[in-house]
Amino acid sequence: MFRKDNIVKIIIGVALLIAAFVIIGSAVFPRNRFEYVSMRDRINPLISQTTSYAKVQKGTQSYDNVQAIDSKTGKNLSYRLDHVGGYDPSREYISINHKGQYVKEITYISKKKYEQAQK
């Protein structure tokens, strides 16, 4: 019914298919809770993208549990951002372009601009 050549081709095809699923799955599926929540918020069409402002710790480039201020109301967001990555440890005020927990971009801002956002 099946020739030996066809069986070998089927086995190789199945092995390649499994390998492709493993590679794609490892790239798509989150490795921790922060990545899962961020990914969920990124694809959720009910969450709008917004800009918020925050004061963060000096001396680090990784900010956890960040309390941000809504740029429209000047009040604290009803939630904290689990994780925000930075790139300048000497600055402490940031503008965060985000969609829920998914942080698209941060920009360091002046203290004056941060204080204006609070009002």
Side-chain angles (χ1 to χ4, degrees):
M1 180 161 130
F2 288 108
R3 292 183 15 206
K4 189 174 184 179
D5 295 347
N6 290 340
I7 292 174
V8 171
K9 288 179 185 177
I10 290 171
I11 292 172
I12 290 173
V14 169
L16 289 174
L17 192 61
I18 290 171
F21 279 127
V22 168
I23 291 169
I24 292 170
S26 66
V28 171
F29 293 111
R31 292 167 236 352
N32 59 43
R33 189 181 80 76
F34 293 130
E35 287 183 14
Y36 171 75
V37 172
S38 177
M39 184 183 299
R40 180 194 66 202
D41 287 354
R42 183 178 187 180
I43 62 174
N44 187 344
L46 302 176
I47 299 175
S48 61
Q49 189 164 318
T50 187
T51 300
S52 300
Y53 300 97
K55 181 177 179 180
V56 293
Q57 261 187 329
K58 275 188 170 183
T60 183
Q61 294 175 312
S62 181
Y63 315 117
D64 295 325
N65 202 21
V66 175
Q67 178 63 64
I69 296 171
D70 187 347
S71 60
K72 295 174 186 147
T73 65
K75 296 183 180 180
N76 287 344
L77 294 176
S78 60
Y79 58 92
R80 291 178 178 259
L81 297 171
D82 288 335
H83 180 76
V84 179
Y87 51 88
D88 188 350
S90 67
R91 310 276 302 270
E92 67 178 327
Y93 300 100
I94 58 174
S95 168
I96 310 164
N97 186 358
H98 65 101
K99 185 176 176 187
Q101 292 289 333
Y102 169 66
V103 176
K104 182 175 183 181
E105 172 185 33
I106 73 157
T107 311
Y108 288 92
I109 59 173
S110 67
K111 181 178 182 179
K112 183 179 179 181
K113 188 169 183 180
Y114 172 76
E115 289 172 346
Q116 287 173 347
Q118 283 183 310
K119 297 176 182 178

